[in-house]
Amino acid sequence: MKPIRILVSSPETSTGAFLESTLSASRFRVFTINPGPSFMELAHRAEIAVIDCIDERPDVAQLEIAFLKKMRPKIPIIVISRNSSDRDVRIVEQGIYYYLAGKPEEKLVRVIHAAAEMIGKSPNRRTI
């Protein structure tokens, strides 16, 4: 079975590096990108998406989520906000899989495993 592809969109590399070092390489493959054109190029290959630092870039995060929801309606989208605020509500209302605030490292791994189980049971899981 091919590894599940996780796309991490973040202006910093720490979240992607943490996931690469923590998740099993035989089960997961992590791609960390800076927000921008590379997001659109790689989004179609992702099976789970992590949108990081939404508090620093709420408009870009909203566009990324809307793009993913249109392109891959069933993809689990996990959103991370370092400093939760009222404006995060607009992003959560977009129908994401999970929202994490603060320093979510340990919980993030559990949420990714739960999302992987969810897509693993789906008859529509696409291999890449």
Side-chain angles (χ1 to χ4, degrees), residues 2-3 21 31 33 35 43-44 53 59 66 70 106 120 125 128:
K2 290 186 178 187
S21 68
F31 297 91
I33 58 167
H44 73 281
C53 298
D59 295 335
K70 183 172 177 128
E106 284 184 28
R125 178 166 179 232
I128 301 169

Side-chain angles (χ1 to χ4, degrees), residues 1-6 19-30 47 113 116 125:
M1 185 158 138
K2 290 186 178 187
I4 296 170
R5 294 178 185 249
I6 301 171
L19 291 175
E20 284 180 27
S21 68
T22 306
L23 296 172
S24 164
S26 63
R27 184 159 185 222
F28 299 98
R29 183 142 184 229
V30 178
E47 294 177 277
H113 280 281
R125 178 166 179 232

Side-chain angles (χ1 to χ4, degrees), residues 43-118:
H44 73 281
R45 296 171 47 192
E47 294 177 277
I48 296 173
V50 176
I51 311 296
D52 192 12
C53 298
I54 64 166
D55 49 321
E56 296 175 16
R57 54 190 193 94
D59 295 335
V60 173
Q62 280 186 293
L63 288 172
E64 289 173 342
I65 294 166
F67 182 77
L68 280 168
K69 297 292 277 180
K70 183 172 177 128
M71 177 184 269
R72 306 286 307 273
K74 298 199 184 274
I75 189 171
I77 301 171
I78 301 162
V79 172
I80 300 171
S81 178
R82 300 283 184 240
N83 302 302
S84 182
S85 70
D86 290 340
R87 66 183 176 192
D88 292 353
V89 171
R90 287 179 296 193
I91 292 170
V92 172
E93 288 175 341
Q94 284 182 268
I96 60 170
Y97 176 71
Y98 209 91
Y99 171 83
L100 295 164
K103 295 185 177 188
E105 286 77 14
E106 284 184 28
K107 192 164 191 174
L108 177 58
V109 171
R110 289 192 305 266
V111 171
I112 287 173
H113 280 281
E117 289 302 314
M118 183 185 77

